[in-house]
Amino acid sequence: MQNTKLLNYNYGNFFKYLLIILASLVCIYPLFWLITVSLKTQAQYLASKFSLPWPLYFQNFISAVDNEKFFLWFMNSGILTVGSVALCTIISLLAAYAIVFMSFRGKQIIMNSIISLMAVPIVVMIVPLYILFVRIHLMSTYPGVILIYSAVCIPFSIYLLTSFFKSLPGELLEAAIIDGCSNLKVLSKVIIPLSGPPVLTLIIVNALWVWNDLLIALVFLPRTDMRTLMVGLTVFKSKFNLDVPLTMAGLLIVSLPMIIIYIIFQRYFIRGLISGALKG
Amino acid sequence: MILRTKKFTPYIYLFPAILILGLIYGYSLVRVFDFSTRRIRGITGVFIGLDNYKFVISDPVFRKAVLNNINLFVLIPILVFLAIIISYLLFEQLRGWKVYRGVIFMPYILPIPVVGVIFGYMFTLHGVVNSFLKLVKLDFLAIDWLGSPKFALWTLMIIILWKELGFGIILFLARLMSLEKEIFESAEIDGAGWWGKLFYVTIPQMRTIIEFFAIITVINMLSWVFAYSYTVTLGGPGDATMVMELFIFNKLGRSQLPMPGIASAASVFLFSGTAVLIFFLFRIRKEIGQEET
C-alpha cells in the first residue's frame, strides 16, 4: 500500500518534470538556435542547420553592425523609445493625479473613455493619421511618431497609475497640504517619490512596446534614414536573405537591449503585464 | 483624500492627456468613419455613400482576410489549455520553477518581427525543423510549412502560439498565487488527485481570469497579428495568410494603388468587431475587480 503510493507519487513527479522541461526547451530552442547560427559561417550553416558552431565565428556581428544604416536605425529606435516613454509618463502622471486626488465634473466619463481606448485596434487609426500627417508634414519626423506612440501608451499608463494612487494613504497628502505645498509640489515631492515601482513598470512595459513596434514605424517613417530597427531588419532580411548567419547576428543585436532589460527587471515586467493585461 | 482646488485646476492637469488622445484617437476614429464614405484622392474626396463598404464586402481578398482572422480563434482553446496546465505545474513550485518561469516567459519579450524572421528560416523547406524531422525518421511531417497555401496559416498559428503562451501562463500563475492555500489542502483531504484538484478546484477559481485572457486573445487575433503576417509570409502564398490589418495596410498603397476609402471601410468593420468584444471585456474586468477586493 505504502509502496504503490510512493511509486505513484514519483511517476507523477517524473511526468511533471518531463512536461515542464519539455515546455522550457520548446520556448528556449529558437533563441538558442538563433545564437548558434549567428556564430557560424555561411558554409557551416549550410553543412548542418542544427549543429553547434565550432570554431566560433564572430565576423557576422561585425558585418551586421558595420552596415552604415545600422547605427542610424539603432539611434532612431532609441530616440523614439526614450521620447515617447518620457512624454507618456509625464502626461499620464499629471492626468492620473487629477483623476484620483481632485474632484471635477465628468470624471467617470473621462476615466471610462480613456480605459476603453486600450482596446482600439491601432490599425484603425492608420489611414486618417497617414492622410493628416502627409498634409501637415509630419511624415518621417520624430515628433509625429512620438506623438502617436505616446498616445497609444497613455491609456494603459493612466490606468496603472490611478490604481496605484488609490492605494496610497491619504494622511501623507494631508501633511503635505498643511505644510503649505502647492498641488504641483504635492505631486512632485510626495506622490512621485512614492511611485518608483509602478513608474518603473510603466517605463519598461511601454519601452518594450515602442521598441518592438513594426506597424506604426512602417507606415509613418517611410524615409530610409528614419527607419527603426524593427523596420530595418525586415529590409535587412530581404537584402541578405541568403546569408542566414549574418541576418541572425543582426536579429540577436536588435533583441539584445530588451532581453537585457528583461533579465534585470523581470519582476517589474511581470507585474506590469499582469496589471496591464489589456494592452495589445 | 481629495485635494481642494480651483474649479478649473483639474482640467489643466488633464489637458495634455486629453489633447494628445483627442488628436490621435479622437480625430482618427471620427475621420475613419468619414473617409469610409468617400472616394479619397489625395487628402479627401467626394461622398459616395456605402460604395466602399460594398467593395470591401465583395472583395475576395478581404473575405479571405476575415476568414483567416476568425480561423486564428482555433488558437484560443489551445492557448488556454496549455496555459492552465503549465501555470499549474509552475504553481506547484517544482524544483527550479523560477528558472522555468523565466524561460517560458522569454518568447513574450522578443520583438514579433524578430520571432517572425527566426521562424521564417526555421520553417523553410530545408530548414532546421524539416532537417530534424528527417533525422528522427518522420519524413512525412517534413512539409512545405510556409510555402504551401494549405499549411501556411497553421504554421503561422504555431508561431503565434509559441510567442503568446507565456502571457497566459503569467496571468494564470498570478491568479493561482492569490488563492487561499486552504482550498487546495481541504481538497486534498477530501481525496482529490492532481487532475481532480485541477478540474474541480483550480479551474473554477480561475474562471474570470480565463474568460479575460480568452477575450484579450480574441481581440489580439482580430487586430494584433499584423507583424506576424507581415514578417513571416507577407500574407502569402497568394492570400493564404492575409489578415484584416495587412489588407488595410496594403490599401494605403505601399505595393498597390492607394485606396484610402476602401482601407477606411475595412477599418470600420474591424473596429465594430472589436467594439463588441470591448463591451464583454469591461464586464469581466469589473468581475475581476470584485474578486480582488
Side-chain angles (χ1 to χ4, degrees), chain A residues 16 20-21 23-24, chain B residues 82-105 166 168-170 172-174 176-177 194:
Chain A
K16 283 177 201 168
I20 204 87
I21 289 170
S24 304
Chain B
L82 289 175
I84 289 175
I85 299 282
I86 295 174
S87 62
Y88 194 55
L89 284 175
L90 289 172
F91 177 63
E92 293 194 344
Q93 313 202 333
L94 302 170
R95 202 175 309 157
W97 71 282
K98 281 193 172 165
V99 177
Y100 298 127
R101 184 184 67 176
V103 167
I104 288 171
F105 197 52
I169 293 171
I170 291 296
F172 292 175
L173 187 60
L176 280 171
M177 293 198 158
W194 195 82

Side-chain angles (χ1 to χ4, degrees), chain B residues 114-143:
Chain B
V114 169
V115 170
V117 175
I118 300 176
F119 276 92
Y121 284 119
M122 292 183 81
F123 279 118
T124 51
L125 195 54
H126 302 288
V128 65
V129 173
N130 280 351
S131 302
F132 176 77
L133 289 170
K134 281 176 191 153
L135 190 78
V136 294
K137 300 283 174 247
L138 289 169
D139 293 50
F140 69 100
L141 274 177
I143 52 177

Side-chain angles (χ1 to χ4, degrees), chain A residues 10-30:
Chain A
N10 283 338
Y11 262 124
N13 255 12
F14 172 73
F15 280 113
K16 283 177 201 168
Y17 276 106
L18 189 71
L19 208 64
I20 204 87
I21 289 170
L22 202 68
S24 304
L25 282 179
V26 171
C27 286
I28 205 71
Y29 185 73

Side-chain angles (χ1 to χ4, degrees), chain A residues 178-200:
Chain A
I178 292 166
D179 287 349
C181 286
S182 69
N183 288 326
L184 206 56
K185 268 244 170 76
V186 174
L187 177 64
S188 63
K189 296 273 148 82
V190 183
I191 308 281
I192 291 179
L194 287 170
S195 310
V199 169
L200 194 58

Side-chain angles (χ1 to χ4, degrees), chain A residues 13 16-17 19-21 23-24 26-31 33-34 45 49-50 87 91 94-95 97-105 107 110 112 114-133 135 147-148 150-152 154-155 158-159 170 173-174 177 183-184 186-187 208-209 212-215 218-219 222 230 233-234 237 240-241 244 247-248 251 254-255 258-259 262-263 266 269-270 273-275 277-280, chain B residues 1-7 9-11 13-14 16-18 20-21 23-25 27-29 31-32 35 40 42-44 85-86 89-90 92-96 98 100-114 116-122 124 126-128 131-132 135 162 165 167 170-171 174 194 212 216 219-220 223-224 226-227 230-232 244-246 248-249 252 254 260-261 263-264 267-268 270-271 274 278 281-282 285:
Chain A
N13 255 12
K16 283 177 201 168
Y17 276 106
L19 208 64
I20 204 87
I21 289 170
S24 304
V26 171
C27 286
I28 205 71
Y29 185 73
L31 200 62
W33 187 72
L34 171 73
Y45 173 73
K49 301 267 156 57
F50 49 95
L87 186 64
I91 291 178
L94 290 173
Y97 179 56
I99 289 172
V100 175
F101 297 114
M102 299 178 189
S103 74
F104 55 92
R105 279 162 70 94
K107 187 192 262 192
I110 290 176
N112 282 343
I114 290 174
I115 289 182
S116 50
L117 291 183
M118 278 196 268
V120 173
I122 310 289
V123 74
V124 168
M125 305 188 286
I126 292 284
V127 181
L129 288 178
Y130 181 84
I131 293 173
L132 178 71
F133 274 30
R135 199 170 60 181
L147 219 54
I148 301 180
S150 328
V152 170
I154 284 173
I158 292 182
Y159 169 74
L173 270 90
E174 265 167 59
I177 294 163
N183 288 326
L184 206 56
V186 174
L187 177 64
L208 175 77
W209 196 89
N212 289 354
D213 169 72
L214 179 69
L215 180 62
L218 205 53
V219 172
M230 291 308 140
L233 79 86
T234 58
K237 182 208 166 193
F240 297 96
N241 203 359
V244 180
T247 311
M248 291 300 169
L251 292 184
V254 167
S255 334
M258 285 305 145
I259 295 179
Y262 168 62
I263 291 170
Q266 205 189 52
F269 246 133
I270 290 173
L273 289 165
I274 291 164
S275 50
L278 230 162
K279 198 166 136 165
Chain B
M1 170 78 214
I2 294 286
L3 295 170
R4 233 173 302 156
T5 59
K6 293 202 184 81
K7 214 171 172 185
T9 313
Y11 299 105
Y13 282 80
L14 281 167
I18 292 177
I20 197 167
L21 293 176
L23 180 71
I24 301 297
Y25 280 94
Y27 171 83
S28 51
L29 290 181
R31 270 308 226 189
V32 78
F35 284 161
I40 312 272
I43 55 171
T44 185
I85 299 282
I86 295 174
L89 284 175
L90 289 172
E92 293 194 344
Q93 313 202 333
L94 302 170
R95 202 175 309 157
K98 281 193 172 165
Y100 298 127
R101 184 184 67 176
V103 167
I104 288 171
F105 197 52
M106 194 65 117
Y108 194 73
I109 304 307
L110 293 177
I112 300 177
V114 169
V117 175
I118 300 176
F119 276 92
Y121 284 119
M122 292 183 81
T124 51
H126 302 288
V128 65
S131 302
F132 176 77
L135 190 78
W162 181 83
L165 184 61
F167 178 53
I170 291 296
L171 214 54
W194 195 82
F212 180 76
I216 298 248
I219 294 177
N220 283 348
S223 64
W224 200 237
F226 170 82
Y230 186 84
T231 54
V232 181
M244 281 188 268
E245 288 165 278
L246 187 59
I248 296 166
F249 176 82
L252 261 181
R254 201 47 81 71
S264 300
S267 304
V268 171
L270 178 58
F271 179 67
T274 45
I278 296 169
L281 197 67
F282 253 91
R285 207 182 192 114

